[in-house]
Amino acid sequence: MDISVVIPLYNEDESLPELHAWIERVMNENGFTYEVIFVNDGSTDRSWEVIEQLSKESEHVKGIKFRRNYGKSPALYCGFKEAQGDVIITMDADLQDSPDEIPELYRMIHEDGYDLVSGYKQKRYDPLSKRIPTKLFNATARRISGIKNLHDFNCGLKAYRKEVVKNIEVYGEMHRYIPYLAKNAGFAKIGEKVVHHQARKYGSSKFMGLNRFVNGYLDLLTLWFLNNFGKKPMHVFGFLGSIMFFIGLIAVIILGADKLIALAHNVPHRLITDSPYFYIALTMMIIGTQLFLAGFIGDLISRSSSSRNDYQIEETIRCEK
């Protein structure tokens, strides 16, 4: 199979028939073998009924229905797990991403040898309140990830080599950083393509709000830490803990030596416990010990696998549940 199109969606029943017809036209015109995987992320409208109807009209349509709303990353994870195409295309369901971009994205993966190609919405139809934080966010992501050639990490329109999506784990809200995840997994040939961005035709955006930018930065810091110290937490916690412990220990020794020298020379000297430096040193030793133990426990946890991607799927169409 040439292409799998993975479409996460939440309350987009109005746009789905038009989107599917558009994808079908592009695929037929270019002679691609394909599948379209709709992942219904707990929609409360008629989205699932529309997907069921589309599946009756076309054998290329697959569907996954979550029991409740989990978010875009879980939807992508389940879509990636089901995808069988040599090239996987992701796009949003709101008709702001153009299926006409698919042939060129496929060519860049199939012929140019890219592992991942991310869309770049150079001209956006989003409000200014969304565009400015997005620019700041992308600048930070470029610097921390080291992927200097990407202008839009969070663009929903992306193309992947099959091996990429089968070897990365998208969880929480990490869909913003799939290029970074791919790079960390060893897929370093990452490209970008300027894509057409259209104004929303139906409804309103489901991803507005300041919290998504705050969460985005927190996720980026988490990913940076996991990439650098996820397999060796003792290296950072143990190092910091050891430094704090020994600084505190040296401070206590100095205070004790000063007291002993004063006693040896019969010089009046206040009690060690009357000095604020004693309590500062003691606190540093305690915190240092706690950090060292945190690193040790982190090492133990990192050696055991956790089930992060366990989602309740209510119903599927042509998929392995």
Side-chain angles (χ1 to χ4, degrees), residues 241-256:
S242 297
I243 288 178
M244 293 191 69
F245 180 86
F246 283 113
I247 290 175
L249 180 61
I250 290 170
V252 169
I253 291 174
I254 291 173
L255 288 172

Side-chain angles (χ1 to χ4, degrees), residues 16-251:
L16 292 181
E18 186 174 339
L19 176 61
H20 174 258
W22 195 352
I23 293 172
E24 188 175 48
R25 176 180 60 79
V26 171
M27 295 300 184
N28 291 337
E29 287 177 355
N30 290 272
F32 291 130
T33 56
Y34 71 99
E35 63 183 2
V36 182
I37 305 172
F38 292 103
V39 186
N40 181 21
D41 185 24
S43 297
T44 56
D45 63 0
R46 296 185 62 258
S47 291
W48 185 247
E49 287 81 358
V50 173
I51 294 170
E52 287 181 316
Q53 181 59 39
L54 293 174
S55 71
K56 295 175 182 177
E57 298 171 359
S58 172
E59 62 180 8
H60 300 290
V61 172
K62 294 184 176 181
I64 299 173
K65 180 184 180 183
F66 286 168
R67 289 190 181 277
R68 66 173 182 84
N69 179 251
Y70 287 103
K72 191 172 184 178
S73 290
L76 287 174
Y77 171 81
C78 291
F80 288 163
K81 189 176 179 181
E82 180 61 33
Q84 300 299 316
D86 295 330
V87 174
I88 285 78
I89 305 287
T90 60
M91 63 190 339
D92 294 335
D94 53 13
L95 293 174
Q96 290 190 277
D97 295 332
S98 171
D100 289 331
E101 307 283 356
I102 291 176
E104 179 61 16
L105 289 171
Y106 176 83
R107 189 199 64 77
M108 293 178 72
I109 297 290
H110 191 66
E111 297 180 15
D112 293 348
Y114 285 103
D115 296 314
L116 184 156
V117 179
S118 181
Y120 172 30
K121 299 172 182 176
Q122 200 167 29
K123 183 179 180 181
R124 303 182 66 102
Y125 290 90
D126 295 321
L128 191 64
S129 60
K130 185 176 179 180
R131 294 200 305 269
I132 292 177
T134 296
K135 286 183 178 294
L136 295 173
F137 164 77
N138 283 310
T140 305
R142 280 195 299 273
R143 183 170 184 83
I144 292 179
S145 69
I147 307 175
K148 305 296 186 181
N149 62 318
L150 291 193
H151 294 83
D152 190 357
F153 278 72
N154 197 28
C155 178
L157 185 57
K158 288 183 174 68
Y160 312 81
R161 191 179 304 280
K162 183 179 181 180
E163 291 78 8
V164 175
V165 303
K166 299 300 183 182
N167 285 280
I168 61 173
E169 183 185 15
V170 188
Y171 63 92
E173 294 186 26
M174 292 297 180
H175 60 274
R176 301 180 180 94
Y177 307 111
I178 290 181
Y180 195 11
L181 291 172
K183 178 188 174 186
N184 293 342
F187 300 99
K189 193 167 184 182
I190 298 173
E192 182 175 75
K193 179 186 183 301
V194 176
V195 297
H196 179 60
H197 185 231
Q198 302 179 121
R200 173 177 274 274
K201 190 171 183 179
Y202 303 105
S204 59
S205 175
K206 313 302 187 298
F207 300 104
M208 298 295 288
L210 181 62
N211 65 314
R212 76 187 192 98
F213 296 106
V214 175
N215 293 339
Y217 278 108
L218 294 176
D219 287 338
L220 183 58
L221 290 175
T222 299
L223 191 54
W224 173 84
F225 181 85
L226 291 175
N227 178 49
N228 290 280
F229 304 107
K231 300 295 184 183
K232 45 187 177 183
M234 180 58 92
H235 288 198
V236 60
F237 289 112
F239 176 71
L240 292 175
S242 297
I243 288 178
M244 293 191 69
F245 180 86
F246 283 113
I247 290 175
L249 180 61
I250 290 170

Side-chain angles (χ1 to χ4, degrees), residues 241 243-245 247-248 279-289:
I243 288 178
M244 293 191 69
F245 180 86
I247 290 175
Y279 295 101
I280 294 173
L282 189 63
T283 301
M284 290 189 69
M285 292 176 68
I286 293 172
I287 293 176
T289 302

